[in-house]
Amino acid sequence: MSEATTGTAPQAVNERHEELRAAADAVLSRLVGDASGAARLRPDQWRAIEALVAERRRALVVQRTGWGKSAVYFVATALLRESGAGPTVIVSPLLALMRNQIAAARRAGISARTINSANQEEWEAVRQEVADGLVDVLLVSPERLNNPDFRDGVLPQLAASAGLLVVDEAHCISDWGHDFRPDYRRLRTMLGELPAGVPVLATTATANARVTADVAEQLGTGDSGAETLVLRGPLDRASLRLSVLRLPDAAHRLAWLDDHLNGFPGSGIIYTLTVAAAEEVAAHLTARGHRVAAYTGRTENADREAAEDDLLANRVKALVATSALGMGFDKPDLGFVIHLGSPSSPIAYYQQVGRAGRGLEHAEVLLLPGPEDEAIWRYFGSLAFPREQQVRHTLEVLAAADRPLSLPALEARVELRRSRLEMMLKVLDVDGAVRRERGGWRATGAPWHYDAERYAWVARQREAEQEAMREYASTGGCRMELLRRELDDEGAAPCGRCDNCTDMGFDAQVAPTALEAATGELSRPGIAVEPRRMWPTGLPAAGIDLKGRIPQGEQASPGRALGRLSDIGWGDRLRPLLSPDASDSALPEDVMDAVVTVLSDWARGPGGWASGQEGAPPRPVGVVSVASGSRPRLVGSLADGIARVGRMPLLGAVRRAHHDRAPGRSNSARRVHALHGALELPPEVAEAVKTHPGPLLLVDDFMETGWTLALAARLLRAAGAESVLPLVLAVRG
């Protein structure tokens, strides 16, 4: 009896194994559209599926972009559903990824739905379909995980009924990684509540050894003790040819794109570091006859979907995008990725270039670095986790409140901008110090430790990543090897394809007509500046009786700025003048000339005082500056120069009665709180305004939040100014 058992048991196991493997390959054939049924999973893909379906394990898959991670969880889903398991829950970070995956699931005969910020009207119907067993895959954005209604009403049900949990872009879980997202840390709760035997799959293409270990450890939360299976493969992408091309300035880079874009294979993505640069580049290339579209965090959702569809169908040559298109966009025949400006992390760079060449034998990857890159790195670096004093103060404010406080209500009490405040609260929520409830946030009273050592280490890691990107741009060695080394890929070796390995780089020549057009575009000064029209929420709670719409008679009029600090044109010229460590000196002649051009275009443009249009406002009758504590010579020379050129009297300056109580990067509510009562009109300036009651130009060097100009304009309007027209050198945007 025992001999029969020992003889047949392995055979039965092998038979079940072969049956499962055959079923998995059949699902793969449907997924990839292979009517012959000949598609086969690779051994590493099958190992992951076997671990999930046959062994019900928790697994972390770290594989290069294009390896086929989505095939693993769709095949596993089909097999688990056939065995009676509940639906697969996929936590996915971007709408583009969700749309791609819903389409892919449909090809495999898998019913997939999503709950995210863009389809709120469908949430109830989707929940009911899940409850009725009609949904095989539910894709959820990480932000949903800590929405109070979802967290308390939906998440427990999902955790109890899920047949498989998938964490896509799993490097976002780890704050050691380049793209940490606090919402992902909520997965600890779901992992801890999963019934025994529910498999978990985490996937990423961009995790070094430290991030891999951290994610694997977190995946073990609530597990019965089985170690997380880590499947890590080589990260080389044989289809990618990496290159770097250094050009003299922004005009040459923009002209080079215009001149050479059509020579790149197929369609692709042009990445920029800022929203302003993406919009600027897309507008110029469009004007030059290229079929491109901008894709940023500021793009409306419907326009994003249309842009994605146009790129998938090759109706555009390129999307000019920020990192909003960084993860999840799936186009196997994407022929190129160009970066106009260098990302601060080689890991982020590898992820973005990995969009190219997934289904091609050859794709081009090109970096066009610029001198403005590091200034942009520093700005984003300044948005790191707040100082301990700011965190403690926020906790004290929440503890003292008798109700949950919304973000607008908190803004009036703490010195943090909304995006940074929200990120901090999410981290504190994960740590148990605060809890998000209906109506806002509440302190839990639980003890909390400020992990200064960890935050400092993360900051040093960011600096090391920036140094690695400098090395990538300047190295004479293999570029792919460097990227793989930064990702701790043990198989890193020279690729034999990049510009350094082949000694064949891109030609730096630019057609004179393209350079002339780009120079004209980037040297054209002037952008519109919209005035503040609504008071920030929460001011009455801070003791300032201002709320709702700013009365028309107290508002500034629309104004102008020479440029944005994030522009690739005038931004490059203005950043050195306005950096915190710049010396204070008179405005350079070329910048003053550009300001005069802005004034001239403004006066003669639509609605300008010299446009000749019916109802156009009167010409300004005087100039008032905002007194500067850090750049008095610069602002003084700007105001004096405008007064001389415009043949207007310089009436004086709005000055600070005392130093305002908030830094420039504070949120709107705190900025108004700091400035309210801190600005004043000296008596001689107030008298001059009364004797010049027409429109006034209000001059300052820099607009960060817009509230200094708004409150200064309010003072001038109260003193009798007919209107106030703000004019600044630069805005942050």
Side-chain angles (χ1 to χ4, degrees):
M1 188 74 172
S2 61
E3 289 181 4
T5 302
T6 57
T8 58
Q11 180 179 350
V13 169
N14 287 336
E15 288 176 356
R16 288 195 297 271
H17 181 278
E18 292 302 322
E19 289 173 1
L20 189 64
R21 176 64 193 263
D25 287 336
V27 176
L28 178 68
S29 293
R30 296 198 301 270
L31 186 66
V32 300
D34 181 4
S36 70
R40 294 290 181 269
L41 291 158
R42 295 191 307 274
D44 45 6
Q45 290 176 312
W46 166 242
R47 178 66 191 104
I49 293 168
E50 184 183 38
L52 297 171
V53 178
E55 302 167 12
R56 305 298 173 100
R57 292 187 65 176
R58 296 186 176 185
L60 169 60
V61 172
V62 183
Q63 298 282 359
R64 65 185 182 276
T65 304
W67 173 85
K69 294 181 284 293
S70 60
V72 170
Y73 49 75
F74 282 136
V75 171
T77 292
L79 298 178
L80 288 166
R81 291 289 278 166
E82 287 175 5
S83 68
T88 291
V89 178
I90 301 178
V91 179
S92 179
L94 289 180
L95 298 181
L97 180 113
M98 290 186 178
R99 288 190 282 269
N100 285 161
Q101 295 192 338
I102 288 173
R106 191 179 297 118
R107 291 195 297 271
I110 296 171
S111 170
R113 298 298 304 272
T114 179
I115 292 179
N116 62 70
S117 59
N119 72 338
Q120 295 186 32
E121 70 284 354
E122 300 177 12
W123 288 359
E124 284 304 319
V126 172
R127 291 176 187 176
Q128 190 58 51
E129 289 176 21
V130 173
D132 293 342
L134 302 177
V135 175
D136 299 315
V137 171
L138 178 65
L139 293 109
V140 180
S141 60
E143 292 75 21
R144 291 297 96 207
L145 298 177
N146 203 31
N147 172 276
D149 290 341
F150 188 89
R151 179 194 64 209
D152 299 332
V154 179
L155 197 57
Q157 298 173 17
L158 285 180
S161 63
L164 170 66
L165 174 63
V166 177
V167 184
D168 214 352
E169 307 297 349
H171 59 275
C172 297
I173 295 175
S174 176
D175 60 2
W176 304 111
H178 75 279
D179 197 20
F180 169 57
R181 301 190 182 192
D183 290 305
Y184 263 75
R185 297 293 287 272
R186 275 288 133 208
L187 286 165
R188 283 176 176 264
T189 302
M190 190 170 182
L191 287 166
E193 295 175 355
L194 287 175
V198 175
V200 178
L201 172 67
T203 69
T204 180
T206 51
N208 58 20
R210 183 73 183 252
V211 172
T212 298
D214 189 23
V215 174
E217 180 183 356
Q218 293 190 51
L219 284 181
T221 301
D223 199 10
S224 58
E227 185 178 353
T228 298
L229 173 66
V230 178
L231 299 172
R232 184 182 177 102
L235 301 180
D236 187 25
R237 290 287 309 282
S239 63
L240 300 185
R241 178 180 180 270
L242 307 182
S243 301
V244 174
L245 180 62
R246 288 191 177 275
L247 294 166
D249 51 38
H252 277 80
R253 296 200 304 279
L254 188 57
W256 193 95
L257 273 179
D258 174 21
D259 200 18
H260 294 269
L261 182 58
N262 287 333
F264 280 80
S267 55
I269 301 171
I270 301 169
Y271 279 109
T272 66
L273 299 186
T274 66
V275 171
E279 294 173 346
E280 189 175 15
V281 171
H284 179 70
L285 292 178
T286 298
R288 295 285 294 167
H290 297 281
R291 299 183 68 182
V292 301
Y295 188 109
T296 74
R298 204 153 57 192
T299 306
E300 292 292 335
N301 186 58
D303 293 332
R304 283 199 196 193
E305 289 193 39
E308 292 167 17
D309 290 342
D310 285 344
L311 185 59
L312 287 169
N314 296 315
R315 289 189 291 266
V316 293
K317 182 66 177 178
L319 295 187
V320 186
T322 62
S323 58
L325 195 64
M327 290 189 293
F329 186 76
D330 185 13
K331 178 176 168 61
D333 63 340
L334 197 77
F336 63 91
V337 169
I338 301 171
H339 278 76
L340 191 66
S342 176
S344 61
S345 161
I347 303 173
Y349 184 65
Y350 175 87
Q351 181 187 70
Q352 290 176 350
V353 303
R355 305 263 68 82
R358 298 173 65 169
L360 300 173
E361 291 185 4
H362 173 80
E364 293 288 350
V365 171
L366 174 63
L367 172 63
L368 300 170
E372 71 276 7
D373 298 349
E374 300 211 12
I376 296 170
W377 297 352
R378 285 193 295 273
Y379 172 71
F380 286 117
S382 71
L383 306 180
F385 197 73
R387 300 187 305 275
E388 181 173 8
Q389 182 181 1
Q390 292 173 304
V391 182
R392 296 289 180 196
H393 176 64
T394 304
L395 289 172
E396 290 168 2
V397 169
L398 288 172
D402 57 1
R403 56 182 173 80
L405 293 180
S406 66
L407 282 173
L410 266 175
E411 278 186 307
R413 297 167 168 85
V414 300
E415 306 283 3
L416 289 169
R417 284 194 169 189
R418 181 170 300 189
S419 58
R420 200 169 176 214
L421 174 61
E422 185 175 22
M423 181 273 289
M424 180 189 76
L425 289 169
K426 288 177 178 179
V427 172
L428 293 175
D429 189 351
V430 171
D431 291 344
V434 304
R435 179 176 171 82
R436 187 180 175 191
E437 300 179 358
R438 279 194 173 188
W441 297 84
R442 187 188 295 276
T444 64
W448 180 78
H449 168 65
Y450 187 89
D451 196 346
E453 183 177 348
R454 185 179 184 90
Y455 301 139
W457 192 97
V458 171
R460 291 195 299 272
Q461 181 72 7
R462 298 291 181 266
E463 293 173 1
E465 289 176 346
Q466 291 173 11
E467 181 56 38
M469 279 310 298
R470 295 185 192 99
E471 182 184 353
Y472 176 85
S474 61
T475 184
C478 176
R479 300 193 196 277
M480 179 61 80
E481 181 181 19
L482 188 151
L483 291 180
R484 293 176 66 187
R485 202 167 59 236
E486 287 299 316
L487 280 154
D488 296 321
D489 187 355
E490 293 181 358
C495 70
R497 301 179 306 274
C498 71
D499 55 352
N500 287 337
C501 285
T502 61
D503 199 26
M504 293 175 60
F506 280 95
D507 185 354
Q509 292 299 311
V510 176
T513 53
L515 183 57
E516 182 180 357
T519 302
E521 174 67 26
L522 296 182
S523 63
R524 184 180 300 117
I527 59 171
V529 173
E530 288 299 315
R532 289 288 188 172
R533 303 188 191 279
M534 300 289 294
W535 293 115
T537 306
L539 289 178
I544 300 176
D545 190 22
L546 297 172
K547 60 183 178 180
R549 179 170 291 277
I550 301 173
Q552 189 68 37
E554 298 179 10
Q555 290 183 21
S557 297
R560 292 291 187 276
L562 181 53
R564 298 181 182 89
L565 288 188
S566 56
D567 287 345
I568 59 174
W570 274 102
D572 287 349
R573 182 70 182 92
L574 293 169
R575 276 189 296 272
L577 292 176
L578 300 176
S579 69
D581 55 355
S583 60
D584 181 34
S585 59
L587 197 67
E589 186 176 344
D590 66 317
V591 180
M592 189 66 232
D593 290 343
V595 170
V596 173
T597 300
V598 171
L599 281 168
S600 178
D601 291 345
W602 189 7
R604 293 177 174 79
W609 55 89
S611 64
Q613 293 176 324
E614 185 176 346
R619 183 182 188 276
V621 299
V623 178
V624 176
S625 66
V626 177
S628 173
S630 57
R631 288 183 282 268
R633 291 187 63 195
L634 184 75
V635 174
S637 65
L638 172 62
D640 182 65
I642 291 172
R644 283 188 292 101
V645 170
R647 298 177 182 176
M648 295 176 285
L650 181 58
L651 305 182
V654 178
R655 70 186 184 192
R656 285 168 168 77
H658 55 80
H659 197 275
D660 56 78
R661 300 178 293 273
R665 289 182 184 173
S666 182
N667 62 62
S668 286
R670 292 300 295 172
R671 192 69 184 140
V672 172
H673 180 264
L675 290 166
H676 189 256
L679 297 179
E680 67 175 9
L681 276 185
E684 65 274 14
V685 178
E687 185 61 33
V689 171
K690 288 180 182 178
T691 58
H692 298 79
L696 299 178
L697 283 172
L698 177 62
V699 177
D700 203 357
D701 55 349
F702 177 58
M703 189 181 86
E704 174 82 17
T705 66
W707 286 113
T708 299
L709 294 172
L711 291 169
R714 187 170 181 251
L715 288 173
L716 293 169
R717 296 296 299 274
E722 178 183 314
S723 61
V724 177
L725 307 168
L727 176 67
V728 298
L729 292 177
V731 296
R732 168 68 65 189

